Amino acid sequence: MYRYLVICVGLAACVTAGGEFASPVTGITGTYSHQVVISDHPHHVLYGHVVVLTGDDAAPVRALVISHRRDGVHRLRISGAYHSGRELPFRRLDHRLGCTHGHCRNDALGFIALGPGMIERATREGFSAHLLGPYGRIGIHAPAALFRYMTTRSQQPDTP
C-alpha cells in the first residue's frame, strides 16, 4: 500500500485539479481529487486530497493524502492520527517527495488509509481527525464534497 501512495504523490505532483492516471510500468491506475485546505492554523496550514488506487493484483486503496504548506517557521512531524480516541491507519511520507499535488510549496506529511465504512461516512459527513506530533494536536477536516467527488469518479466506467 505504501508503494502505491508514494507513486501517487509523484504522479499527482504539481497538478491543481483532480484527475486520473495510469502507470504501465507499475500497473497502478487511479483517480485523485482536487486539493483542499483541511486545517488553517497560522503555522499549520494543511492540505488534503483523496486518492483511489488499484493495482493488477490488489484491492483498491483509498486514502486521504496530507501535506503541509511550508511557512518558514518549522517542518511538521506527525506521528499518528486519531478519531474519537481510536488510532487511524496513518503512515508518514518523506517530505523530500516534493510537491504533493499542485502547490510546490507543500511538504508531504503522510496519508490516512480509508476503509469502505470510513468512505461511506465521509461521503455524508466529511472526515475529521486529530494529528499528533511534537508540536501538539492538530485538528483536520476534509469536506464531504471531496469524498462524493471521488466516489462518483471511481464508479464511472472507463471510456474507450
Side-chain angles (χ1 to χ4, degrees):
M1 176 171 67
Y2 180 68
R3 175 180 75 116
Y4 289 163
L5 289 170
V6 169
I7 291 169
C8 176
V9 168
L11 292 173
C14 299
V15 178
T16 57
E20 299 177 3
F21 62 86
S23 172
V25 174
T26 62
I28 296 172
T29 61
T31 57
Y32 56 95
S33 72
H34 60 287
Q35 193 175 56
V36 298
V37 174
I38 59 174
S39 178
D40 64 355
H41 182 279
H43 294 298
H44 308 296
V45 177
L46 303 180
Y47 288 82
H49 65 281
V50 180
V51 297
V52 177
L53 308 170
T54 55
D56 293 335
D57 59 351
V61 174
R62 296 167 182 87
L64 174 66
V65 180
I66 304 166
S67 62
H68 174 225
R69 175 62 56 101
R70 288 191 291 254
D71 61 1
V73 176
H74 61 276
R75 179 171 281 126
L76 287 178
R77 291 181 311 276
I78 302 301
S79 58
Y82 294 83
H83 175 75
S84 298
R86 196 178 97 226
E87 188 172 11
L88 298 172
F90 175 80
R91 179 86 177 235
R92 288 175 32 175
L93 292 171
D94 190 327
H95 73 279
R96 293 173 292 183
L97 287 172
C99 301
T100 61
H101 193 290
H103 299 286
C104 292
R105 293 180 14 195
N106 289 5
D107 282 335
L109 277 183
F111 64 87
I112 299 171
L114 305 169
M118 294 169 79
I119 293 286
E120 289 174 22
R121 184 174 181 183
T123 300
R124 291 188 315 270
E125 304 170 12
F127 180 81
S128 295
H130 289 96
L131 306 177
L132 297 178
Y135 297 105
R137 186 170 119 163
I138 302 170
I140 61 169
H141 179 77
L146 193 64
F147 296 91
R148 284 193 295 266
Y149 168 82
M150 287 306 294
T151 301
T152 303
R153 294 282 300 210
S154 65
Q155 291 175 351
Q156 291 177 351
D158 293 335
T159 56

